[in-house]
Amino acid sequence: GGTNAHVIVEEYHQQELASEPEDSNIFYIFPLSAKSIKSLDLYKQAFSVYLKNEQKKKIENIAYTLQQKRDQFNVRQFVVSSSLDDLV
């Protein structure tokens, strides 16, 4: 004997989240780090391009990811901003 399993899979439809207006009184810290000054400069350029192309992202999610989910290296800088437009 054997065991048979059946699964019905439906197509995923991503729901658009209602964009909330950014509160200009809340500031977020964006830590940036790399192994060298040259690498940090390249990282900042790439980060700026990413932000210009991803205006639908939430500023608090980007700040959280940079603070909690990225490795920290010896060469560091940070940016404080209250909006994605100012951050770019």
Coordinates of all heavy atoms in Angstrom, one line a residue:
G1 N 0.8 -1.2 0.0 CA 0.0 0.0 0.0 C 0.8 1.3 0.0 O 2.0 1.3 0.3
G2 N 0.2 2.3 -0.3 CA 0.8 3.6 -0.4 C -0.1 4.7 0.1 O -1.3 4.4 0.4
T3 N 0.4 5.8 0.2 CA -0.5 7.0 0.7 C -0.5 8.0 -0.5 O 0.5 8.4 -1.1 CB 0.2 7.6 1.9 OG1 0.3 6.6 2.9 CG2 -0.7 8.8 2.4
N4 N -1.7 8.4 -0.8 CA -1.9 9.5 -1.8 C -2.4 10.8 -1.1 O -3.1 10.7 -0.1 CB -3.0 9.0 -2.8 CG -2.6 7.8 -3.6 OD1 -1.4 7.7 -3.9 ND2 -3.5 7.0 -3.9
A5 N -1.8 11.8 -1.6 CA -2.2 13.2 -1.1 C -2.6 14.0 -2.2 O -2.0 14.0 -3.3 CB -1.1 13.8 -0.3
H6 N -3.6 14.9 -2.0 CA -4.1 15.8 -3.1 C -4.1 17.2 -2.5 O -4.6 17.4 -1.4 CB -5.5 15.4 -3.5 CG -5.5 14.0 -4.1 ND1 -5.1 13.7 -5.4 CD2 -5.9 12.8 -3.6 CE1 -5.3 12.4 -5.6 NE2 -5.7 11.8 -4.5
V7 N -3.7 18.1 -3.3 CA -3.6 19.5 -2.8 C -4.3 20.4 -3.9 O -3.9 20.2 -5.1 CB -2.2 20.0 -2.6 CG1 -2.2 21.5 -2.2 CG2 -1.5 19.1 -1.5
I8 N -5.1 21.3 -3.5 CA -5.7 22.2 -4.5 C -5.0 23.6 -4.2 O -5.1 24.1 -3.1 CB -7.2 22.4 -4.3 CG1 -7.9 21.0 -4.6 CG2 -7.8 23.5 -5.2 CD1 -9.3 21.0 -4.3
V9 N -4.4 24.1 -5.2 CA -3.6 25.4 -5.1 C -4.3 26.4 -5.9 O -4.6 26.2 -7.1 CB -2.2 25.2 -5.5 CG1 -1.4 26.5 -5.4 CG2 -1.5 24.1 -4.7
E10 N -4.6 27.6 -5.3 CA -5.2 28.7 -6.1 C -4.1 29.7 -6.3 O -3.2 29.8 -5.6 CB -6.3 29.3 -5.3 CG -7.5 28.3 -5.1 CD -8.7 29.0 -4.4 OE1 -8.8 30.2 -4.4 OE2 -9.5 28.2 -3.8
E11 N -4.4 30.5 -7.3 CA -3.4 31.6 -7.6 C -3.5 32.7 -6.5 O -4.6 33.1 -6.0 CB -3.8 32.3 -9.0 CG -2.9 33.4 -9.4 CD -3.3 33.9 -10.7 OE1 -4.2 33.4 -11.4 OE2 -2.6 34.9 -11.1
Y12 N -2.3 33.2 -6.1 CA -2.2 34.2 -5.1 C -2.4 35.6 -5.7 O -1.9 35.9 -6.8 CB -0.8 34.2 -4.4 CG -0.6 35.3 -3.5 CD1 -1.2 35.3 -2.2 CD2 0.2 36.3 -3.8 CE1 -1.0 36.3 -1.3 CE2 0.4 37.4 -2.9 CZ -0.2 37.3 -1.7 OH 0.0 38.4 -0.8
H13 N -3.3 36.3 -5.1 CA -3.6 37.7 -5.6 C -3.1 38.7 -4.5 O -3.7 38.7 -3.4 CB -5.1 37.9 -5.9 CG -5.6 37.1 -7.0 ND1 -5.3 37.4 -8.3 CD2 -6.3 35.9 -6.9 CE1 -5.9 36.4 -9.0 NE2 -6.5 35.5 -8.2
Q14 N -2.0 39.4 -4.8 CA -1.5 40.3 -3.8 C -2.5 41.5 -3.6 O -2.9 42.1 -4.6 CB -0.1 40.8 -4.1 CG 0.5 41.7 -3.1 CD 1.9 42.0 -3.4 OE1 2.5 41.6 -4.4 NE2 2.6 42.8 -2.6
Q15 N -2.8 41.8 -2.4 CA -3.7 42.9 -2.1 C -2.8 44.2 -2.0 O -1.8 44.2 -1.4 CB -4.5 42.7 -0.8 CG -5.4 41.5 -0.9 CD -6.1 41.3 0.4 OE1 -5.7 41.9 1.4 NE2 -7.0 40.4 0.5
E16 N -3.3 45.2 -2.6 CA -2.7 46.5 -2.5 C -3.0 47.1 -1.1 O -4.1 47.2 -0.7 CB -3.1 47.5 -3.6 CG -2.7 47.1 -5.0 CD -1.2 47.3 -5.2 OE1 -0.6 48.2 -4.6 OE2 -0.6 46.5 -5.9
L17 N -1.9 47.4 -0.4 CA -2.1 48.0 0.9 C -2.4 49.5 0.7 O -1.8 50.2 -0.1 CB -0.9 47.9 1.8 CG -0.5 46.4 2.0 CD1 0.8 46.4 2.8 CD2 -1.6 45.7 2.8
A18 N -3.3 50.0 1.5 CA -3.6 51.4 1.5 C -2.4 52.2 2.0 O -1.9 51.9 3.1 CB -4.9 51.7 2.3
S19 N -2.0 53.1 1.2 CA -0.8 53.9 1.6 C -1.2 54.9 2.7 O -2.2 55.7 2.5 CB -0.1 54.5 0.4 OG -1.0 55.4 -0.2
E20 N -0.5 54.9 3.7 CA -0.8 55.8 4.8 C 0.1 57.1 4.6 O 1.2 56.9 4.2 CB -0.5 55.2 6.2 CG -1.3 54.0 6.4 CD -0.9 53.3 7.7 OE1 0.0 53.8 8.4 OE2 -1.3 52.1 7.9
P21 N -0.4 58.2 4.9 CA 0.4 59.4 4.7 C 1.6 59.4 5.7 O 1.4 58.9 6.9 CB -0.5 60.6 5.0 CG -1.7 60.0 5.8 CD -1.8 58.6 5.3
E22 N 2.7 59.7 5.3 CA 3.9 59.7 6.2 C 3.8 60.8 7.2 O 3.4 62.0 6.9 CB 5.2 59.9 5.4 CG 5.5 58.8 4.4 CD 6.8 59.0 3.7 OE1 7.4 60.0 3.8 OE2 7.1 58.1 2.9
D23 N 4.1 60.5 8.4 CA 4.0 61.5 9.5 C 5.4 62.2 9.5 O 6.4 61.5 9.8 CB 3.8 60.8 10.8 CG 3.5 61.7 12.0 OD1 3.9 62.9 11.8 OD2 3.1 61.3 13.1
S24 N 5.4 63.5 9.2 CA 6.7 64.2 9.1 C 7.3 64.4 10.5 O 8.4 65.0 10.6 CB 6.5 65.5 8.4 OG 5.6 66.3 9.1
N25 N 6.6 64.1 11.6 CA 7.1 64.3 12.9 C 7.9 63.1 13.4 O 8.5 63.1 14.5 CB 6.0 64.6 13.9 CG 5.4 66.0 13.6 OD1 6.1 66.9 13.2 ND2 4.1 66.1 13.8
I26 N 7.8 62.0 12.7 CA 8.6 60.8 13.1 C 9.8 60.7 12.2 O 9.8 60.7 11.0 CB 7.7 59.5 12.9 CG1 6.4 59.6 13.8 CG2 8.5 58.3 13.2 CD1 5.5 58.5 13.6
F27 N 11.0 60.5 12.9 CA 12.2 60.4 12.2 C 12.7 59.0 12.4 O 12.6 58.4 13.4 CB 13.2 61.4 12.7 CG 12.9 62.8 12.3 CD1 12.0 63.6 13.0 CD2 13.5 63.4 11.2 CE1 11.7 64.9 12.6 CE2 13.2 64.6 10.7 CZ 12.3 65.4 11.5
Y28 N 13.4 58.5 11.3 CA 13.9 57.1 11.3 C 15.4 57.2 11.1 O 15.9 58.0 10.4 CB 13.2 56.3 10.2 CG 11.8 56.1 10.4 CD1 10.9 57.0 9.8 CD2 11.2 55.1 11.2 CE1 9.5 56.9 10.0 CE2 9.9 55.0 11.4 CZ 9.0 55.9 10.8 OH 7.7 55.7 11.0
I29 N 16.1 56.2 11.7 CA 17.6 56.1 11.5 C 17.9 55.0 10.5 O 17.3 53.9 10.6 CB 18.2 55.8 12.9 CG1 18.0 56.9 13.9 CG2 19.7 55.5 12.7 CD1 18.5 56.6 15.3
F30 N 18.7 55.4 9.5 CA 19.1 54.4 8.5 C 20.6 54.2 8.6 O 21.4 55.0 8.1 CB 18.7 55.0 7.1 CG 17.3 55.2 7.0 CD1 16.7 56.4 7.4 CD2 16.5 54.3 6.4 CE1 15.3 56.7 7.2 CE2 15.1 54.5 6.3 CZ 14.5 55.7 6.7
P31 N 21.0 53.1 9.3 CA 22.4 52.9 9.4 C 23.0 52.2 8.1 O 22.3 51.3 7.5 CB 22.5 51.9 10.6 CG 21.2 51.2 10.6 CD 20.2 52.2 10.1
L32 N 24.1 52.7 7.6 CA 24.8 52.2 6.5 C 26.2 51.8 6.9 O 26.9 52.5 7.5 CB 24.8 53.2 5.4 CG 23.4 53.8 5.0 CD1 23.6 55.0 4.0 CD2 22.5 52.8 4.4
S33 N 26.6 50.6 6.4 CA 28.0 50.2 6.8 C 28.6 49.3 5.7 O 27.8 48.7 4.9 CB 28.0 49.4 8.1 OG 27.3 48.2 8.0
A34 N 29.9 49.3 5.6 CA 30.6 48.5 4.6 C 32.0 48.2 5.2 O 32.4 48.7 6.2 CB 30.7 49.2 3.3
K35 N 32.8 47.4 4.4 CA 34.1 47.0 4.9 C 35.1 48.1 4.5 O 36.2 48.1 5.1 CB 34.5 45.7 4.3 CG 33.6 44.6 4.8 CD 34.1 43.2 4.3 CE 33.2 42.1 4.9 NZ 33.6 40.8 4.4
S36 N 34.8 49.0 3.6 CA 35.8 50.1 3.2 C 35.0 51.3 2.9 O 33.8 51.3 2.6 CB 36.6 49.6 2.0 OG 35.9 49.6 0.9
I37 N 35.7 52.4 2.8 CA 35.1 53.7 2.5 C 34.5 53.6 1.0 O 33.4 54.1 0.8 CB 36.0 54.9 2.7 CG1 36.3 55.0 4.2 CG2 35.5 56.2 2.1 CD1 37.4 56.0 4.5
K38 N 35.3 53.1 0.1 CA 34.9 52.9 -1.3 C 33.6 52.1 -1.4 O 32.7 52.4 -2.1 CB 36.0 52.3 -2.1 CG 35.7 52.3 -3.6 CD 36.9 51.7 -4.4 CE 36.5 51.6 -5.8 NZ 37.6 51.1 -6.7
S39 N 33.6 51.0 -0.6 CA 32.4 50.1 -0.6 C 31.2 50.8 -0.1 O 30.1 50.7 -0.6 CB 32.7 48.9 0.2 OG 33.7 48.1 -0.4
L40 N 31.4 51.6 1.0 CA 30.3 52.4 1.5 C 29.8 53.4 0.5 O 28.5 53.6 0.4 CB 30.7 53.1 2.8 CG 29.7 53.9 3.6 CD1 28.5 52.9 4.0 CD2 30.2 54.6 4.8
D41 N 30.6 54.1 -0.2 CA 30.2 55.0 -1.2 C 29.4 54.3 -2.3 O 28.3 54.9 -2.7 CB 31.4 55.8 -1.8 CG 32.0 56.8 -0.8 OD1 31.4 57.2 0.1 OD2 33.2 57.1 -1.1
L42 N 29.8 53.2 -2.7 CA 29.1 52.4 -3.7 C 27.7 52.0 -3.2 O 26.7 52.0 -3.9 CB 29.9 51.2 -4.2 CG 31.2 51.6 -5.0 CD1 32.0 50.3 -5.3 CD2 30.8 52.2 -6.3
Y43 N 27.7 51.5 -1.9 CA 26.5 51.1 -1.3 C 25.5 52.2 -1.2 O 24.3 52.1 -1.5 CB 26.8 50.5 0.1 CG 25.6 50.1 0.9 CD1 24.7 49.1 0.4 CD2 25.4 50.6 2.2 CE1 23.6 48.7 1.1 CE2 24.3 50.2 2.9 CZ 23.4 49.2 2.4 OH 22.3 48.8 3.1
K44 N 26.0 53.4 -0.8 CA 25.1 54.6 -0.7 C 24.5 54.9 -2.1 O 23.3 55.3 -2.2 CB 25.8 55.8 -0.2 CG 26.1 55.6 1.3 CD 26.7 56.9 1.9 CE 28.0 57.3 1.3 NZ 28.6 58.5 2.0
Q45 N 25.3 54.8 -3.2 CA 24.8 55.1 -4.5 C 23.7 54.1 -4.9 O 22.7 54.4 -5.4 CB 25.9 55.1 -5.5 CG 26.9 56.2 -5.4 CD 28.1 56.1 -6.3 OE1 28.2 55.2 -7.1 NE2 28.9 57.1 -6.3
A46 N 24.0 52.8 -4.6 CA 23.0 51.8 -5.0 C 21.7 51.9 -4.1 O 20.6 51.7 -4.6 CB 23.6 50.4 -4.7
F47 N 21.9 52.3 -2.9 CA 20.7 52.5 -2.0 C 19.9 53.6 -2.5 O 18.6 53.6 -2.5 CB 21.2 52.8 -0.6 CG 20.1 52.8 0.5 CD1 19.2 51.8 0.6 CD2 20.0 54.0 1.3 CE1 18.2 51.9 1.6 CE2 19.0 54.0 2.2 CZ 18.1 53.0 2.4
S48 N 20.5 54.7 -3.0 CA 19.8 55.8 -3.5 C 19.0 55.5 -4.8 O 17.8 55.8 -4.9 CB 20.8 57.0 -3.8 OG 20.1 58.1 -4.4
V49 N 19.6 54.7 -5.6 CA 18.9 54.2 -6.9 C 17.7 53.3 -6.5 O 16.6 53.5 -7.0 CB 19.9 53.4 -7.8 CG1 19.1 52.7 -8.9 CG2 20.9 54.4 -8.3
Y50 N 17.9 52.5 -5.5 CA 16.8 51.6 -5.0 C 15.7 52.4 -4.5 O 14.5 52.2 -4.9 CB 17.4 50.7 -3.9 CG 16.3 49.9 -3.2 CD1 15.7 48.8 -3.8 CD2 15.8 50.4 -2.0 CE1 14.6 48.1 -3.1 CE2 14.8 49.7 -1.3 CZ 14.2 48.6 -1.9 OH 13.2 47.9 -1.2
L51 N 16.0 53.4 -3.7 CA 14.9 54.3 -3.2 C 14.1 55.0 -4.2 O 12.9 55.2 -4.1 CB 15.5 55.2 -2.1 CG 16.0 54.6 -0.8 CD1 16.7 55.6 0.0 CD2 14.9 53.9 -0.1
K52 N 14.9 55.5 -5.2 CA 14.2 56.2 -6.3 C 13.2 55.3 -7.1 O 12.2 55.8 -7.6 CB 15.2 56.8 -7.3 CG 16.0 58.0 -6.7 CD 17.1 58.4 -7.7 CE 17.9 59.5 -7.0 NZ 19.1 59.8 -7.8
N53 N 13.6 54.0 -7.2 CA 12.7 53.1 -8.0 C 11.7 52.4 -7.1 O 10.8 51.8 -7.7 CB 13.6 52.0 -8.6 CG 14.6 52.6 -9.6 OD1 14.2 53.6 -10.3 ND2 15.7 52.0 -9.8
E54 N 11.7 52.6 -5.8 CA 10.8 51.8 -4.9 C 10.0 52.8 -4.0 O 10.0 52.7 -2.8 CB 11.6 50.8 -4.0 CG 12.3 49.8 -4.8 CD 11.3 48.8 -5.4 OE1 10.2 48.7 -4.9 OE2 11.7 48.1 -6.4
Q55 N 9.3 53.7 -4.6 CA 8.6 54.7 -3.9 C 7.4 54.2 -3.1 O 6.8 54.8 -2.3 CB 8.2 55.9 -4.8 CG 9.3 56.8 -5.2 CD 10.0 57.5 -4.1 OE1 9.3 58.0 -3.2 NE2 11.3 57.5 -4.0
K56 N 7.0 52.9 -3.4 CA 5.9 52.3 -2.8 C 6.2 51.7 -1.4 O 5.4 51.2 -0.7 CB 5.2 51.3 -3.7 CG 4.6 51.9 -4.9 CD 3.9 50.9 -5.8 CE 3.4 51.5 -7.0 NZ 2.8 50.5 -7.9
K57 N 7.5 51.6 -1.1 CA 8.0 50.9 0.1 C 7.7 51.9 1.3 O 7.7 53.1 1.2 CB 9.5 50.6 0.1 CG 9.8 49.7 -1.1 CD 9.4 48.3 -0.8 CE 9.8 47.4 -1.9 NZ 9.3 46.1 -1.9
K58 N 7.5 51.3 2.4 CA 7.2 52.0 3.6 C 8.6 52.4 4.3 O 9.4 51.5 4.5 CB 6.4 51.3 4.6 CG 4.9 51.1 4.2 CD 4.1 50.6 5.3 CE 2.7 50.8 5.0 NZ 1.9 50.6 6.2
I59 N 8.7 53.6 4.7 CA 10.0 54.1 5.3 C 10.3 53.4 6.5 O 11.5 53.0 6.8 CB 9.9 55.6 5.5 CG1 11.3 56.2 5.9 CG2 8.9 56.0 6.5 CD1 11.4 57.7 5.9
E60 N 9.3 53.0 7.3 CA 9.6 52.3 8.6 C 10.1 50.9 8.4 O 10.9 50.4 9.1 CB 8.4 52.3 9.5 CG 7.1 51.7 9.0 CD 6.2 52.7 8.3 OE1 6.6 53.7 7.8 OE2 5.0 52.3 8.1
N61 N 9.6 50.3 7.3 CA 10.1 48.9 6.9 C 11.6 49.0 6.5 O 12.4 48.1 6.8 CB 9.2 48.3 5.9 CG 7.9 48.0 6.4 OD1 7.6 48.0 7.6 ND2 6.9 47.8 5.5
I62 N 11.9 50.0 5.7 CA 13.3 50.1 5.2 C 14.2 50.3 6.4 O 15.3 49.7 6.5 CB 13.4 51.2 4.2 CG1 12.6 50.8 2.9 CG2 14.9 51.5 3.8 CD1 12.5 51.9 1.9
A63 N 13.8 51.2 7.3 CA 14.6 51.5 8.5 C 14.8 50.3 9.4 O 15.9 50.0 9.8 CB 14.0 52.7 9.3
Y64 N 13.7 49.6 9.6 CA 13.8 48.3 10.4 C 14.8 47.3 9.8 O 15.6 46.8 10.5 CB 12.4 47.7 10.5 CG 12.5 46.4 11.2 CD1 12.5 46.3 12.6 CD2 12.5 45.2 10.5 CE1 12.6 45.1 13.3 CE2 12.5 44.0 11.2 CZ 12.6 43.9 12.5 OH 12.6 42.7 13.2
T65 N 14.7 47.1 8.5 CA 15.5 46.2 7.8 C 17.0 46.5 8.0 O 17.9 45.7 8.3 CB 15.2 46.0 6.4 OG1 13.8 45.6 6.3 CG2 16.1 45.0 5.6
L66 N 17.3 47.8 7.8 CA 18.7 48.2 7.9 C 19.2 48.1 9.3 O 20.4 47.9 9.6 CB 18.9 49.7 7.4 CG 18.7 49.9 5.9 CD1 18.8 51.3 5.5 CD2 19.8 49.1 5.1
Q67 N 18.3 48.4 10.3 CA 18.8 48.3 11.7 C 18.9 46.9 12.2 O 19.8 46.6 13.0 CB 17.8 49.1 12.6 CG 17.8 50.6 12.3 CD 16.6 51.2 13.1 OE1 16.0 50.7 14.0 NE2 16.2 52.4 12.6
Q68 N 18.0 46.0 11.8 CA 17.9 44.7 12.4 C 18.4 43.5 11.6 O 18.8 42.5 12.1 CB 16.4 44.4 12.8 CG 15.9 45.4 13.8 CD 16.6 45.4 15.1 OE1 17.0 44.4 15.6 NE2 16.7 46.6 15.7
K69 N 18.3 43.6 10.3 CA 18.5 42.5 9.4 C 19.8 42.6 8.6 O 20.1 41.7 7.8 CB 17.3 42.3 8.4 CG 16.0 42.2 9.1 CD 16.0 40.9 9.9 CE 14.6 40.7 10.6 NZ 14.6 39.5 11.4
R70 N 20.6 43.6 8.7 CA 21.8 43.8 7.9 C 23.0 43.6 8.9 O 23.0 44.0 10.0 CB 21.9 45.1 7.3 CG 20.7 45.4 6.3 CD 21.0 45.1 4.9 NE 22.3 45.6 4.5 CZ 22.8 45.3 3.3 NH1 22.2 44.5 2.5 NH2 24.0 45.8 3.0
D71 N 24.1 43.0 8.3 CA 25.4 43.0 9.1 C 25.9 44.4 9.2 O 25.8 45.2 8.3 CB 26.3 42.1 8.4 CG 25.9 40.6 8.4 OD1 25.2 40.2 9.4 OD2 26.3 39.8 7.6
Q72 N 26.6 44.6 10.3 CA 27.2 45.9 10.6 C 28.7 45.7 10.4 O 29.3 44.8 11.0 CB 26.9 46.4 12.0 CG 25.4 46.7 12.2 CD 24.9 47.8 11.2 OE1 25.5 48.9 11.1 NE2 23.8 47.5 10.6
F73 N 29.3 46.6 9.6 CA 30.8 46.5 9.3 C 31.5 47.7 10.0 O 30.8 48.6 10.5 CB 31.0 46.5 7.8 CG 30.5 45.2 7.2 CD1 29.3 45.3 6.4 CD2 31.1 44.0 7.3 CE1 28.8 44.2 5.8 CE2 30.5 42.9 6.7 CZ 29.4 43.0 6.0
N74 N 32.8 47.8 9.9 CA 33.5 48.8 10.6 C 33.4 50.2 10.1 O 33.5 51.1 10.9 CB 35.0 48.4 10.6 CG 35.3 47.2 11.5 OD1 34.5 46.9 12.5 ND2 36.3 46.5 11.2
V75 N 33.2 50.4 8.8 CA 33.0 51.7 8.2 C 31.5 52.0 8.2 O 30.8 51.3 7.5 CB 33.6 51.7 6.8 CG1 33.4 53.1 6.2 CG2 35.1 51.4 6.8
R76 N 31.1 53.0 9.0 CA 29.7 53.3 9.2 C 29.3 54.7 9.0 O 30.1 55.6 9.3 CB 29.3 52.8 10.6 CG 29.5 51.4 10.9 CD 29.1 51.0 12.3 NE 29.4 49.7 12.6 CZ 29.1 49.0 13.6 NH1 28.4 49.7 14.6 NH2 29.4 47.8 13.9
Q77 N 28.1 54.9 8.5 CA 27.5 56.2 8.5 C 26.0 56.0 8.8 O 25.5 54.8 8.7 CB 27.6 56.9 7.2 CG 29.0 57.4 6.9 CD 29.1 58.1 5.5 OE1 28.1 58.2 4.8 NE2 30.2 58.7 5.3
F78 N 25.3 57.0 9.1 CA 23.8 56.9 9.2 C 23.2 58.1 8.7 O 23.8 59.2 8.6 CB 23.4 56.6 10.7 CG 23.7 57.7 11.6 CD1 22.7 58.6 11.9 CD2 24.9 57.9 12.3 CE1 22.9 59.7 12.8 CE2 25.1 58.9 13.2 CZ 24.1 59.8 13.4
V79 N 21.9 58.0 8.4 CA 21.1 59.1 7.9 C 19.8 59.1 8.7 O 19.3 58.0 9.0 CB 20.7 58.9 6.4 CG1 19.8 60.0 5.9 CG2 22.0 58.8 5.5
V80 N 19.4 60.2 9.1 CA 18.1 60.4 9.8 C 17.1 61.1 8.9 O 17.5 62.2 8.3 CB 18.3 61.2 11.1 CG1 17.0 61.4 11.8 CG2 19.3 60.5 12.0
S81 N 16.0 60.6 8.7 CA 15.0 61.1 7.8 C 13.6 60.8 8.2 O 13.3 59.8 8.9 CB 15.2 60.6 6.4 OG 14.3 61.2 5.5
S82 N 12.6 61.7 7.8 CA 11.2 61.5 8.1 C 10.4 61.1 6.9 O 9.2 60.8 7.0 CB 10.6 62.7 8.7 OG 10.7 63.8 7.8
S83 N 11.1 61.1 5.7 CA 10.3 60.7 4.5 C 11.3 60.1 3.4 O 12.5 60.4 3.5 CB 9.6 62.0 3.8 OG 10.6 62.8 3.2
L84 N 10.7 59.3 2.6 CA 11.6 58.7 1.5 C 12.1 59.8 0.6 O 13.2 59.7 0.1 CB 10.7 57.7 0.7 CG 10.4 56.4 1.4 CD1 9.5 55.5 0.6 CD2 11.7 55.7 1.8
D85 N 11.4 60.8 0.3 CA 11.9 61.9 -0.6 C 13.1 62.6 0.0 O 14.1 62.8 -0.7 CB 10.8 63.0 -0.8 CG 9.6 62.4 -1.7 OD1 9.9 61.5 -2.5 OD2 8.5 62.9 -1.5
D86 N 13.1 62.8 1.3 CA 14.3 63.4 1.9 C 15.4 62.5 2.0 O 16.6 62.9 1.9 CB 13.9 63.9 3.4 CG 13.0 65.1 3.4 OD1 12.8 65.8 2.3 OD2 12.4 65.3 4.4
L87 N 15.1 61.2 2.1 CA 16.2 60.2 2.2 C 16.9 60.0 0.9 O 18.2 59.9 1.0 CB 15.5 58.8 2.6 CG 16.5 57.7 2.9 CD1 17.4 58.0 4.1 CD2 15.7 56.4 3.3
V88 N 16.3 60.1 -0.2 CA 16.9 60.0 -1.5 C 17.8 61.2 -1.7 O 19.0 61.1 -2.1 CB 15.9 60.0 -2.6 CG1 16.5 60.0 -4.0 CG2 15.0 58.8 -2.5

